[in-house]
Coordinates of all heavy atoms in Angstrom, one line a residue:
M1 N 17.2 -4.5 -25.7 CA 17.8 -3.8 -24.6 C 16.8 -2.9 -23.9 O 15.9 -2.4 -24.6 CB 19.0 -3.0 -25.2 CG 20.2 -3.8 -25.7 SD 21.1 -4.6 -24.3 CE 21.9 -3.2 -23.5
G2 N 17.1 -2.7 -22.7 CA 16.2 -1.8 -22.0 C 16.7 -1.7 -20.6 O 17.5 -2.4 -20.1
L3 N 16.1 -0.7 -19.9 CA 16.4 -0.5 -18.5 C 15.1 -1.0 -17.7 O 14.1 -0.5 -17.9 CB 16.7 0.9 -18.2 CG 17.4 1.3 -16.9 CD1 18.7 0.5 -16.7 CD2 17.7 2.8 -16.9
Y4 N 15.3 -1.9 -16.8 CA 14.2 -2.5 -16.0 C 14.4 -2.2 -14.6 O 15.4 -2.5 -14.0 CB 14.0 -3.9 -16.3 CG 14.0 -4.4 -17.8 CD1 15.1 -4.8 -18.4 CD2 12.7 -4.3 -18.5 CE1 15.1 -5.2 -19.8 CE2 12.7 -4.8 -19.8 CZ 13.9 -5.1 -20.4 OH 13.8 -5.5 -21.8
N5 N 13.3 -1.8 -13.9 CA 13.3 -1.7 -12.4 C 12.6 -3.0 -12.0 O 11.3 -3.1 -12.0 CB 12.6 -0.5 -11.9 CG 12.6 -0.4 -10.4 OD1 13.0 -1.3 -9.7 ND2 12.1 0.7 -9.9
V6 N 13.3 -3.9 -11.5 CA 12.8 -5.2 -11.0 C 11.8 -5.0 -9.9 O 10.7 -5.6 -9.9 CB 13.8 -6.2 -10.6 CG1 13.2 -7.6 -10.2 CG2 14.8 -6.4 -11.7
T7 N 12.0 -4.1 -9.0 CA 11.1 -3.8 -7.9 C 9.8 -3.3 -8.4 O 8.7 -3.8 -7.9 CB 11.8 -2.7 -7.0 OG1 13.1 -3.1 -6.6 CG2 10.9 -2.5 -5.7
E8 N 9.8 -2.5 -9.4 CA 8.6 -1.9 -10.0 C 7.7 -3.1 -10.5 O 6.5 -3.2 -10.3 CB 8.9 -0.9 -11.1 CG 7.6 -0.3 -11.6 CD 7.9 0.7 -12.8 OE1 9.0 1.2 -12.8 OE2 7.1 0.9 -13.7
A9 N 8.3 -4.0 -11.3 CA 7.5 -5.1 -11.8 C 7.0 -6.0 -10.7 O 5.8 -6.4 -10.8 CB 8.5 -6.0 -12.7
L10 N 7.7 -6.2 -9.7 CA 7.2 -7.0 -8.5 C 6.1 -6.4 -7.8 O 5.1 -7.0 -7.4 CB 8.4 -7.3 -7.6 CG 9.4 -8.3 -8.1 CD1 10.6 -8.4 -7.2 CD2 8.8 -9.7 -8.3
V11 N 6.2 -5.0 -7.6 CA 5.2 -4.3 -6.9 C 3.9 -4.3 -7.7 O 2.8 -4.5 -7.2 CB 5.6 -2.8 -6.6 CG1 4.5 -1.9 -6.2 CG2 6.7 -2.9 -5.5
K12 N 4.0 -4.2 -9.1 CA 2.8 -4.1 -9.9 C 2.1 -5.5 -9.9 O 0.9 -5.6 -9.8 CB 3.2 -3.7 -11.3 CG 3.4 -2.3 -11.5 CD 3.8 -1.9 -12.9 CE 3.9 -0.4 -13.1 NZ 4.5 0.0 -14.4
E13 N 3.0 -6.6 -9.9 CA 2.4 -7.9 -9.9 C 1.7 -8.2 -8.6 O 0.6 -8.7 -8.5 CB 3.5 -9.0 -10.1 CG 3.9 -9.2 -11.5 CD 4.9 -10.3 -11.6 OE1 5.2 -11.1 -10.7 OE2 5.6 -10.3 -12.7
A14 N 2.3 -7.8 -7.5 CA 1.7 -8.0 -6.1 C 0.5 -7.2 -6.0 O -0.5 -7.6 -5.4 CB 2.8 -7.6 -5.0
F15 N 0.5 -6.0 -6.5 CA -0.7 -5.1 -6.5 C -1.9 -5.8 -7.2 O -3.0 -5.9 -6.6 CB -0.4 -3.7 -7.0 CG -1.6 -2.8 -7.1 CD1 -2.0 -2.2 -5.9 CD2 -2.4 -2.7 -8.2 CE1 -3.2 -1.4 -5.9 CE2 -3.5 -1.9 -8.3 CZ -3.9 -1.2 -7.0
H16 N -1.6 -6.2 -8.4 CA -2.7 -6.8 -9.2 C -3.2 -8.1 -8.5 O -4.4 -8.4 -8.4 CB -2.3 -7.1 -10.6 CG -2.2 -5.8 -11.3 ND1 -3.3 -4.9 -11.5 CD2 -1.2 -5.1 -11.9 CE1 -2.8 -3.8 -12.2 NE2 -1.6 -3.9 -12.4
A17 N -2.3 -8.9 -7.9 CA -2.7 -10.2 -7.3 C -3.5 -9.9 -6.1 O -4.5 -10.6 -5.8 CB -1.5 -11.0 -7.0
A18 N -3.2 -8.8 -5.3 CA -3.8 -8.6 -4.1 C -5.1 -7.8 -4.2 O -6.0 -7.9 -3.3 CB -2.9 -7.9 -3.1
Y19 N -5.1 -6.9 -5.2 CA -6.2 -5.9 -5.2 C -7.1 -5.8 -6.4 O -8.0 -5.0 -6.5 CB -5.6 -4.5 -5.0 CG -5.0 -4.3 -3.6 CD1 -3.6 -4.3 -3.4 CD2 -5.8 -4.1 -2.4 CE1 -3.0 -4.2 -2.2 CE2 -5.2 -3.9 -1.2 CZ -3.9 -4.0 -1.1 OH -3.3 -3.9 0.1
E20 N -6.8 -6.7 -7.4 CA -7.6 -6.6 -8.7 C -9.1 -7.1 -8.5 O -9.9 -6.7 -9.3 CB -6.9 -7.3 -9.8 CG -7.1 -8.8 -9.8 CD -6.3 -9.4 -11.0 OE1 -5.9 -8.6 -11.9 OE2 -6.2 -10.6 -11.1
E21 N -9.3 -7.9 -7.5 CA -10.7 -8.4 -7.2 C -11.6 -7.2 -7.0 O -11.3 -6.3 -6.2 CB -10.6 -9.3 -6.0 CG -11.8 -10.3 -5.9 CD -11.5 -11.2 -4.7 OE1 -10.5 -12.0 -4.8 OE2 -12.3 -11.2 -3.8
P22 N -12.8 -7.1 -7.6 CA -13.7 -6.0 -7.4 C -14.0 -5.9 -5.9 O -14.2 -6.9 -5.3 CB -14.9 -6.3 -8.3 CG -14.4 -7.3 -9.3 CD -13.2 -8.1 -8.6
G23 N -14.1 -4.6 -5.5 CA -14.4 -4.4 -4.0 C -13.2 -4.3 -3.1 O -13.4 -3.9 -2.0
R24 N -12.0 -4.7 -3.6 CA -10.9 -4.7 -2.6 C -10.5 -3.2 -2.4 O -9.8 -2.9 -1.4 CB -9.7 -5.5 -3.2 CG -10.0 -6.9 -3.3 CD -10.3 -7.6 -2.0 NE -9.2 -7.5 -1.0 CZ -8.2 -8.4 -0.9 NH1 -8.1 -9.4 -1.7 NH2 -7.3 -8.2 0.0
L25 N -10.7 -2.4 -3.4 CA -10.3 -1.0 -3.4 C -11.6 -0.1 -3.4 O -12.5 -0.4 -4.0 CB -9.4 -0.6 -4.5 CG -8.1 -1.2 -4.6 CD1 -7.5 -1.0 -6.0 CD2 -7.2 -0.8 -3.5
Q26 N -11.5 1.0 -2.6 CA -12.7 2.0 -2.7 C -12.8 2.5 -4.1 O -13.8 2.8 -4.6 CB -12.4 3.1 -1.7 CG -12.8 2.8 -0.2 CD -12.5 3.9 0.7 OE1 -12.7 5.1 0.3 NE2 -12.2 3.6 1.9
C27 N -11.6 2.8 -4.7 CA -11.6 3.3 -6.1 C -10.5 2.7 -6.8 O -9.3 2.7 -6.3 CB -11.5 4.8 -6.0 SG -11.4 5.5 -7.7
A28 N -10.7 2.1 -8.0 CA -9.7 1.4 -8.7 C -9.4 2.1 -10.0 O -9.0 1.5 -11.0 CB -10.1 -0.1 -9.0
C29 N -9.6 3.4 -10.1 CA -9.4 4.2 -11.3 C -7.9 4.3 -11.5 O -7.0 4.0 -10.6 CB -10.0 5.6 -11.2 SG -9.1 6.8 -10.2
A30 N -7.5 4.7 -12.7 CA -6.1 4.7 -13.1 C -5.3 5.7 -12.2 O -4.2 5.4 -11.7 CB -5.9 5.2 -14.5
R31 N -5.9 6.8 -11.8 CA -5.3 7.8 -11.0 C -4.9 7.2 -9.6 O -3.8 7.4 -9.1 CB -6.2 9.0 -10.8 CG -5.7 10.2 -10.0 CD -4.9 11.0 -10.9 NE -4.3 12.1 -10.1 CZ -4.8 13.3 -10.1 NH1 -5.9 13.7 -10.8 NH2 -4.1 14.3 -9.5
C32 N -5.9 6.6 -8.9 CA -5.7 6.0 -7.6 C -4.7 4.9 -7.7 O -3.8 4.8 -6.9 CB -7.0 5.6 -7.0 SG -8.1 7.0 -6.5
T33 N -4.8 4.1 -8.7 CA -3.9 2.9 -8.9 C -2.4 3.4 -9.0 O -1.5 2.9 -8.4 CB -4.2 2.1 -10.1 OG1 -5.6 1.6 -10.0 CG2 -3.3 1.0 -10.4
E34 N -2.2 4.5 -9.8 CA -0.8 5.0 -10.1 C -0.3 5.7 -8.8 O 0.8 5.6 -8.4 CB -0.8 5.9 -11.3 CG -0.9 5.1 -12.5 CD -0.8 5.9 -13.8 OE1 -0.8 7.1 -13.7 OE2 -0.8 5.3 -14.9
D35 N -1.3 6.4 -8.1 CA -0.9 7.0 -6.8 C -0.4 6.0 -5.8 O 0.6 6.1 -5.1 CB -2.0 7.8 -6.2 CG -2.2 9.1 -6.9 OD1 -1.4 9.6 -7.7 OD2 -3.2 9.8 -6.7
I36 N -1.2 4.8 -5.7 CA -0.8 3.8 -4.8 C 0.6 3.2 -5.2 O 1.4 3.0 -4.3 CB -1.9 2.7 -4.8 CG1 -3.2 3.2 -4.2 CG2 -1.4 1.4 -4.1 CD1 -4.4 2.4 -4.5
L37 N 0.7 2.9 -6.4 CA 2.0 2.3 -6.9 C 3.2 3.2 -6.6 O 4.2 2.8 -6.2 CB 1.9 1.9 -8.4 CG 0.9 0.8 -8.7 CD1 0.8 0.6 -10.2 CD2 1.4 -0.6 -8.1
A38 N 3.0 4.5 -6.9 CA 4.1 5.5 -6.7 C 4.5 5.6 -5.3 O 5.6 5.6 -4.9 CB 3.6 6.9 -7.3
L39 N 3.4 5.7 -4.4 CA 3.7 5.7 -2.9 C 4.5 4.5 -2.4 O 5.4 4.6 -1.7 CB 2.4 5.9 -2.2 CG 1.8 7.2 -1.9 CD1 0.4 7.1 -1.4 CD2 2.7 8.1 -1.0
A40 N 4.0 3.4 -2.9 CA 4.7 2.1 -2.4 C 6.1 2.1 -3.0 O 7.1 1.8 -2.2 CB 3.9 0.9 -2.9
L41 N 6.3 2.4 -4.2 CA 7.6 2.3 -4.8 C 8.6 3.3 -4.2 O 9.8 3.0 -4.1 CB 7.5 2.6 -6.3 CG 7.1 1.3 -7.1 CD1 6.6 1.7 -8.5 CD2 8.1 0.3 -7.2
N42 N 8.1 4.5 -3.8 CA 9.0 5.4 -3.1 C 9.5 4.9 -1.8 O 10.5 5.5 -1.3 CB 8.3 6.7 -2.9 CG 8.2 7.6 -4.2 OD1 9.1 7.4 -5.1 ND2 7.3 8.5 -4.3
H43 N 8.9 3.9 -1.2 CA 9.3 3.3 0.1 C 10.1 2.0 -0.1 O 10.5 1.4 0.9 CB 8.2 3.1 1.0 CG 7.6 4.4 1.5 ND1 6.3 4.8 1.1 CD2 8.1 5.5 2.2 CE1 6.1 6.0 1.7 NE2 7.1 6.4 2.3
L44 N 10.3 1.6 -1.3 CA 11.0 0.4 -1.6 C 12.3 0.7 -2.4 O 12.3 1.6 -3.2 CB 10.1 -0.7 -2.3 CG 8.9 -1.1 -1.5 CD1 7.9 -1.7 -2.4 CD2 9.3 -2.2 -0.5
R45 N 13.3 -0.1 -2.2 CA 14.6 0.2 -2.9 C 14.5 -0.3 -4.3 O 14.1 -1.4 -4.6 CB 15.7 -0.6 -2.2 CG 17.1 -0.1 -2.4 CD 18.1 -0.6 -1.4 NE 18.1 -2.1 -1.4 CZ 18.9 -2.8 -2.2 NH1 19.7 -2.2 -3.0 NH2 18.8 -4.1 -2.1
P46 N 14.8 0.6 -5.3 CA 14.7 0.1 -6.7 C 15.8 -0.8 -6.9 O 16.9 -0.8 -6.3 CB 14.8 1.4 -7.5 CG 15.6 2.4 -6.5 CD 15.2 2.0 -5.1
H47 N 15.7 -1.7 -7.9 CA 16.8 -2.6 -8.4 C 16.7 -2.7 -9.9 O 15.9 -3.3 -10.4 CB 16.6 -4.0 -7.7 CG 17.8 -4.8 -7.9 ND1 18.2 -5.7 -7.0 CD2 18.6 -4.9 -8.9 CE1 19.3 -6.3 -7.4 NE2 19.6 -5.9 -8.6
Y48 N 17.6 -1.9 -10.5 CA 17.6 -1.8 -11.9 C 18.5 -2.9 -12.6 O 19.6 -3.1 -12.0 CB 18.1 -0.4 -12.4 CG 17.1 0.7 -12.2 CD1 17.0 1.4 -11.1 CD2 16.1 0.8 -13.2 CE1 16.0 2.4 -10.9 CE2 15.1 1.8 -13.0 CZ 15.1 2.5 -11.9 OH 14.1 3.5 -11.7
V49 N 18.1 -3.4 -13.7 CA 19.0 -4.3 -14.5 C 18.9 -3.7 -16.0 O 17.9 -3.0 -16.3 CB 18.5 -5.7 -14.4 CG1 18.8 -6.3 -13.1 CG2 17.0 -5.9 -14.8
S50 N 19.9 -4.1 -16.8 CA 19.9 -3.5 -18.1 C 19.6 -4.5 -19.3 O 19.5 -4.1 -20.4 CB 21.3 -2.9 -18.4 OG 22.3 -3.9 -18.2
T51 N 19.3 -5.7 -18.9 CA 19.0 -6.7 -20.0 C 17.8 -7.5 -19.5 O 17.6 -7.7 -18.3 CB 20.1 -7.6 -20.3 OG1 20.4 -8.4 -19.1 CG2 21.4 -6.9 -20.6
E52 N 17.1 -8.2 -20.4 CA 16.0 -9.0 -20.1 C 16.5 -10.2 -19.3 O 15.8 -10.8 -18.4 CB 15.2 -9.5 -21.3 CG 14.3 -8.4 -21.8 CD 13.4 -8.9 -23.0 OE1 12.8 -9.9 -22.8 OE2 13.5 -8.3 -24.1
A53 N 17.7 -10.7 -19.6 CA 18.3 -11.9 -19.0 C 18.5 -11.5 -17.5 O 18.2 -12.3 -16.6 CB 19.6 -12.3 -19.6
G54 N 19.0 -10.3 -17.3 CA 19.3 -9.9 -15.9 C 18.0 -9.7 -15.2 O 17.9 -10.0 -14.0
F55 N 17.0 -9.2 -15.9 CA 15.7 -9.0 -15.3 C 15.1 -10.3 -14.7 O 14.7 -10.5 -13.6 CB 14.8 -8.4 -16.3 CG 13.3 -8.2 -15.8 CD1 13.0 -7.1 -15.1 CD2 12.3 -9.1 -16.1 CE1 11.8 -6.8 -14.6 CE2 11.0 -8.9 -15.7 CZ 10.7 -7.7 -14.9
A56 N 15.2 -11.3 -15.6 CA 14.6 -12.7 -15.2 C 15.4 -13.2 -14.1 O 14.8 -13.7 -13.1 CB 14.6 -13.6 -16.4
Y57 N 16.7 -13.1 -14.1 CA 17.6 -13.6 -13.0 C 17.3 -12.9 -11.7 O 17.0 -13.6 -10.7 CB 19.0 -13.5 -13.4 CG 20.0 -13.9 -12.3 CD1 20.1 -15.3 -12.0 CD2 20.6 -13.0 -11.5 CE1 21.0 -15.8 -11.0 CE2 21.4 -13.5 -10.4 CZ 21.6 -14.8 -10.2 OH 22.3 -15.3 -9.1
V58 N 17.3 -11.6 -11.7 CA 17.1 -10.9 -10.5 C 15.7 -11.1 -9.9 O 15.5 -11.3 -8.7 CB 17.4 -9.4 -10.7 CG1 17.0 -8.5 -9.4 CG2 18.8 -9.2 -11.0
K59 N 14.7 -11.1 -10.8 CA 13.3 -11.3 -10.4 C 13.2 -12.6 -9.7 O 12.5 -12.7 -8.6 CB 12.4 -11.3 -11.6 CG 11.0 -11.1 -11.3 CD 10.1 -10.9 -12.5 CE 8.7 -11.1 -12.2 NZ 7.9 -11.3 -13.4
A60 N 13.8 -13.7 -10.2 CA 13.7 -15.0 -9.5 C 14.4 -14.9 -8.1 O 13.8 -15.5 -7.2 CB 14.4 -16.0 -10.4
Q61 N 15.5 -14.2 -8.0 CA 16.1 -14.1 -6.7 C 15.2 -13.3 -5.7 O 15.3 -13.5 -4.5 CB 17.4 -13.3 -6.8 CG 18.4 -13.8 -7.8 CD 18.7 -15.2 -7.6 OE1 19.2 -15.6 -6.5 NE2 18.4 -16.1 -8.5
Y62 N 14.4 -12.5 -6.2 CA 13.6 -11.6 -5.4 C 12.3 -12.3 -4.8 O 11.7 -11.7 -4.0 CB 13.1 -10.3 -6.2 CG 14.0 -9.2 -5.9 CD1 15.4 -9.3 -5.9 CD2 13.4 -7.9 -5.7 CE1 16.2 -8.2 -5.6 CE2 14.2 -6.8 -5.4 CZ 15.6 -7.0 -5.4 OH 16.4 -5.9 -5.2
F63 N 12.0 -13.5 -5.3 CA 10.8 -14.1 -4.8 C 11.1 -14.8 -3.5 O 11.1 -16.0 -3.4 CB 10.2 -15.1 -5.8 CG 9.2 -14.4 -6.8 CD1 9.6 -14.0 -8.0 CD2 8.0 -14.1 -6.4 CE1 8.8 -13.3 -8.9 CE2 7.1 -13.4 -7.2 CZ 7.5 -13.0 -8.5
N64 N 11.4 -14.0 -2.5 CA 11.6 -14.5 -1.2 C 10.5 -13.9 -0.3 O 10.0 -12.8 -0.5 CB 13.0 -14.3 -0.7 CG 13.2 -12.8 -0.5 OD1 12.7 -12.2 0.5 ND2 14.0 -12.2 -1.3
P65 N 10.1 -14.6 0.8 CA 9.0 -14.2 1.6 C 9.2 -12.8 2.3 O 8.3 -12.0 2.4 CB 8.9 -15.3 2.7 CG 9.6 -16.5 2.1 CD 10.6 -16.0 1.2
Q66 N 10.4 -12.5 2.6 CA 10.7 -11.2 3.3 C 10.4 -10.0 2.3 O 9.7 -9.1 2.7 CB 12.1 -11.1 3.8 CG 12.5 -9.8 4.5 CD 11.5 -9.7 5.7 OE1 11.5 -10.5 6.5 NE2 10.9 -8.5 5.8
L67 N 10.9 -10.1 1.1 CA 10.6 -9.1 0.1 C 9.1 -9.0 -0.2 O 8.6 -7.9 -0.3 CB 11.4 -9.3 -1.1 CG 11.3 -8.1 -2.1 CD1 12.0 -6.8 -1.6 CD2 11.7 -8.4 -3.5
Q68 N 8.5 -10.2 -0.4 CA 7.1 -10.1 -0.7 C 6.3 -9.5 0.4 O 5.4 -8.7 0.2 CB 6.6 -11.5 -1.0 CG 7.1 -12.1 -2.3 CD 6.6 -11.3 -3.5 OE1 5.4 -11.1 -3.7 NE2 7.5 -11.0 -4.4
S69 N 6.7 -9.8 1.7 CA 5.9 -9.2 2.8 C 6.2 -7.7 2.9 O 5.3 -6.9 3.2 CB 6.2 -9.9 4.1 OG 7.4 -9.4 4.7
D70 N 7.5 -7.2 2.6 CA 7.8 -5.8 2.5 C 6.9 -5.1 1.5 O 6.4 -4.0 1.7 CB 9.2 -5.6 2.2 CG 10.2 -5.9 3.3 OD1 9.7 -6.2 4.4 OD2 11.4 -6.0 3.1
I71 N 6.8 -5.7 0.3 CA 6.0 -5.1 -0.8 C 4.6 -5.0 -0.4 O 3.9 -4.0 -0.5 CB 6.2 -6.0 -2.1 CG1 7.6 -5.7 -2.7 CG2 5.1 -5.6 -3.1 CD1 8.0 -6.6 -3.8
L72 N 4.0 -6.1 0.1 CA 2.6 -6.0 0.5 C 2.3 -5.1 1.6 O 1.3 -4.4 1.7 CB 2.1 -7.5 0.9 CG 2.0 -8.5 -0.2 CD1 1.7 -9.9 0.3 CD2 0.9 -8.0 -1.2
R73 N 3.3 -4.9 2.5 CA 3.1 -4.0 3.6 C 3.1 -2.5 3.1 O 2.2 -1.7 3.4 CB 4.2 -4.1 4.7 CG 4.0 -3.2 5.9 CD 5.3 -3.2 6.8 NE 6.4 -2.5 6.1 CZ 7.5 -3.1 5.9 NH1 7.8 -4.3 6.3 NH2 8.5 -2.4 5.2
E74 N 4.1 -2.2 2.2 CA 4.1 -0.9 1.6 C 2.8 -0.6 0.8 O 2.3 0.5 0.7 CB 5.3 -0.6 0.8 CG 6.6 -0.7 1.6 CD 6.7 0.4 2.6 OE1 5.9 1.4 2.5 OE2 7.5 0.3 3.6
L75 N 2.3 -1.6 0.0 CA 1.1 -1.5 -0.7 C -0.1 -1.2 0.2 O -0.9 -0.3 -0.1 CB 0.8 -2.7 -1.6 CG 1.6 -2.8 -2.9 CD1 1.4 -4.2 -3.5 CD2 1.2 -1.7 -3.9
A76 N -0.2 -1.9 1.3 CA -1.3 -1.7 2.2 C -1.3 -0.3 2.8 O -2.3 0.4 2.9 CB -1.3 -2.7 3.4
V77 N -0.1 0.2 3.2 CA 0.0 1.6 3.7 C -0.4 2.5 2.6 O -1.2 3.5 2.8 CB 1.5 1.9 4.1 CG1 1.7 3.3 4.4 CG2 1.8 1.0 5.3
A78 N 0.1 2.3 1.4 CA -0.2 3.3 0.3 C -1.7 3.3 -0.1 O -2.3 4.3 -0.3 CB 0.6 2.9 -1.0
V79 N -2.4 2.1 0.0 CA -3.8 2.0 -0.2 C -4.6 2.8 0.8 O -5.5 3.6 0.5 CB -4.3 0.5 -0.3 CG1 -5.8 0.4 -0.1 CG2 -3.8 -0.2 -1.5
Q80 N -4.2 2.7 2.1 CA -4.8 3.4 3.1 C -4.7 5.0 2.9 O -5.6 5.7 3.1 CB -4.3 3.1 4.5 CG -4.7 1.7 5.0 CD -4.2 1.5 6.5 OE1 -3.3 2.2 6.9 NE2 -4.8 0.6 7.1
I81 N -3.5 5.4 2.5 CA -3.3 6.8 2.3 C -4.1 7.4 1.2 O -4.8 8.4 1.3 CB -1.8 7.1 2.1 CG1 -1.0 6.8 3.4 CG2 -1.5 8.5 1.6 CD1 0.5 6.8 3.2
V82 N -4.1 6.6 0.0 CA -4.8 7.1 -1.2 C -6.3 7.0 -0.9 O -7.1 7.9 -1.3 CB -4.4 6.3 -2.4 CG1 -5.3 6.6 -3.6 CG2 -2.9 6.6 -2.7
E83 N -6.8 6.0 -0.2 CA -8.2 5.9 0.1 C -8.7 7.0 1.0 O -9.8 7.5 0.9 CB -8.6 4.5 0.6 CG -8.5 3.5 -0.5 CD -9.1 2.2 -0.1 OE1 -9.3 1.9 1.1 OE2 -9.4 1.3 -1.1
A84 N -7.8 7.4 1.9 CA -8.2 8.5 2.9 C -8.1 9.9 2.2 O -8.8 10.8 2.5 CB -7.2 8.5 4.1
H85 N -7.2 10.0 1.2 CA -7.0 11.3 0.5 C -6.9 11.1 -1.0 O -5.9 11.4 -1.7 CB -5.7 11.9 1.0 CG -5.7 12.1 2.5 ND1 -6.3 13.1 3.1 CD2 -5.0 11.4 3.4 CE1 -6.1 13.0 4.4 NE2 -5.3 12.0 4.6
P86 N -8.1 10.6 -1.6 CA -8.0 10.5 -3.1 C -7.8 11.8 -3.7 O -8.3 12.9 -3.2 CB -9.4 9.9 -3.4 CG -10.2 10.2 -2.2 CD -9.3 10.3 -1.1
R87 N -7.0 11.9 -4.9 CA -6.8 13.2 -5.5 C -7.9 13.5 -6.5 O -7.6 14.1 -7.5 CB -5.4 13.1 -6.1 CG -4.4 13.0 -5.0 CD -3.0 13.4 -5.5 NE -2.5 12.6 -6.6 CZ -1.5 12.9 -7.3 NH1 -0.9 14.1 -7.1 NH2 -1.1 12.1 -8.2
H88 N -9.1 13.1 -6.2 CA -10.3 13.5 -7.0 C -11.4 13.4 -6.1 O -11.3 12.8 -5.1 CB -10.4 12.6 -8.3 CG -10.5 11.1 -8.0 ND1 -11.6 10.6 -7.2 CD2 -9.7 10.1 -8.3 CE1 -11.3 9.3 -7.1 NE2 -10.2 9.0 -7.7
P89 N -12.6 14.0 -6.5 CA -13.8 13.9 -5.6 C -14.1 12.4 -5.3 O -13.9 11.5 -6.2 CB -14.9 14.6 -6.4 CG -14.2 15.4 -7.4 CD -12.9 14.8 -7.7
A90 N -14.6 12.1 -4.1 CA -15.0 10.8 -3.7 C -16.1 10.3 -4.7 O -16.9 11.0 -5.2 CB -15.5 10.7 -2.3
V91 N -16.0 9.0 -4.9 CA -17.1 8.3 -5.7 C -18.4 8.6 -5.2 O -18.7 8.5 -4.0 CB -16.8 6.8 -5.8 CG1 -17.9 6.1 -6.7 CG2 -15.4 6.5 -6.4
G92 N -19.3 9.1 -6.1 CA -20.7 9.3 -5.7 C -21.0 10.8 -5.3 O -22.1 11.2 -5.1
E93 N -19.9 11.6 -5.2 CA -20.1 13.0 -4.9 C -20.3 13.8 -6.1 O -19.8 13.5 -7.2 CB -18.9 13.5 -4.0 CG -19.0 13.2 -2.6 CD -17.8 13.6 -1.8 OE1 -17.1 14.6 -2.2 OE2 -17.6 13.1 -0.7
Ligands
ZN1 ZN1 -9.8 7.0 -8.0

């Protein structure tokens, strides 16, 4: 049993698929990664389920192009914000 936010799982998957390649992010530290995920998730509607079966079912429903493009758009905005204002000194300073 557990409480799952399907949106969070999808955002994390999309983030890793789109940005895990070295060089895609100015900084890929844990702090910046979590800031990016938090910003994106705050702009997307959460969708909670209470069982793993519900999680798998809802997640399958969510793999539609519109939602994926919403997620990628919010991630791109969040990446720009965090790269412009990292919450630690810039790399190399
Ligand atoms: Zn960083």
Side-chain angles (χ1 to χ4, degrees):
M1 290 290 288
L3 195 57
Y4 306 95
N5 179 357
V6 181
T7 306
E8 180 182 335
L10 290 169
V11 167
K12 286 179 175 171
E13 282 184 13
F15 177 78
H16 290 299
Y19 294 102
E20 76 181 350
E21 202 173 297
R24 298 296 301 271
L25 294 170
Q26 279 179 33
C27 178
C29 76
R31 181 83 183 260
C32 289
T33 298
E34 287 182 355
D35 283 349
I36 290 164
L37 292 173
L39 272 171
L41 280 164
N42 281 337
H43 290 117
L44 293 160
R45 203 161 57 86
H47 191 143
Y48 284 97
V49 293
S50 59
T51 65
E52 282 186 56
F55 179 81
Y57 176 76
V58 173
K59 196 175 162 194
Q61 306 305 303
Y62 262 44
F63 272 100
N64 67 71
Q66 182 59 53
L67 184 74
Q68 290 296 311
S69 84
D70 287 350
I71 287 172
L72 288 171
R73 187 191 64 236
E74 292 300 343
L75 280 171
V77 170
V79 165
Q80 283 189 341
I81 291 169
V82 171
E83 288 191 339
H85 305 282
R87 294 200 296 165
H88 57 62
V91 178
E93 277 178 20

